[in-house]
Amino acid sequence: MGTVLGAMRNVRWHELQHAYGSASQVPGVLSRIAWGDAPSSDEALNDLERWIGTPPVFDSTAATVPFLWELAATDTVRDRAGVLDLLSTILAAGNPEHPAWTRAAHEAVAEGRGTAVRLAADDTAAPPPRTVRAAATGLLAAIDGHTCPACPAGPAPSPEGA
């Protein structure tokens, strides 16, 4: 795995759940996003969105978010804008039956605010139709304007990049 996603082995994925059952498959899906060819990476990102982000969040969502931030910040990841969009989806999603899961997921997204600031300011990003810079700018606005019943005060922006 190298240094990118290396900390995945420290998460007890088999004890976590996503929309379709055990989250034990999440590390493989994250790896396909990181290193897969275009079709494999796209399919993995779509799978992950269905599993952890829409419509409800799960206990595996907060555990996955730091790795999504890592992928968004890694230049070699093919669809970094898509990863940032998934983070936006997670921030907008919730689980009314498990507000603690919602709050944990939203806080995990907010903790990456410094990365969003850096990516939003990056004027060297390649110009595909949906740029990393545009996705990061949108996510940054969502983080800064976030309110929901599970996060009454909203997640506090991290000091880095505030």
Side-chain angles (χ1 to χ4, degrees):
M1 269 187 252
T3 57
V4 175
L5 303 179
M8 281 194 308
R9 65 182 163 269
N10 300 327
V11 178
R12 296 174 164 238
W13 296 104
H14 65 282
E15 295 177 5
L16 303 175
Q17 297 291 308
H18 61 56
Y20 299 99
S22 171
S24 61
Q25 317 93 318
V26 169
V29 172
L30 288 167
S31 294
R32 286 187 7 234
I33 294 168
W35 297 290
D37 60 13
S40 177
S41 177
D42 290 345
E43 180 183 359
L45 195 55
N46 289 332
D47 286 347
L48 199 57
E49 182 171 0
R50 283 193 332 272
W51 292 356
I52 69 163
T54 54
V57 298
F58 295 86
D59 59 351
S60 64
T61 306
T64 305
V65 167
F67 302 108
L68 293 173
W69 278 116
E70 188 175 351
L71 293 173
T74 302
D75 290 336
T76 57
V77 171
R78 197 192 72 71
D79 190 2
R80 294 166 58 205
V83 172
L84 291 164
D85 289 342
L86 176 53
L87 287 164
S88 291
T89 297
I90 291 168
L91 189 62
N95 190 327
E97 294 180 21
H98 297 281
W101 293 354
T102 301
R103 185 172 184 92
H106 293 177
E107 286 175 348
V109 172
E111 286 171 8
R113 186 180 185 283
T115 300
V117 167
R118 283 191 303 279
L119 295 173
D122 184 2
D123 58 4
T124 64
R130 176 86 169 120
T131 68
V132 171
R133 185 177 185 178
T137 300
L139 178 54
L140 191 56
I143 290 170
D144 290 347
H146 177 72
T147 60
C148 76
C151 308
S158 66
E160 79 176 72

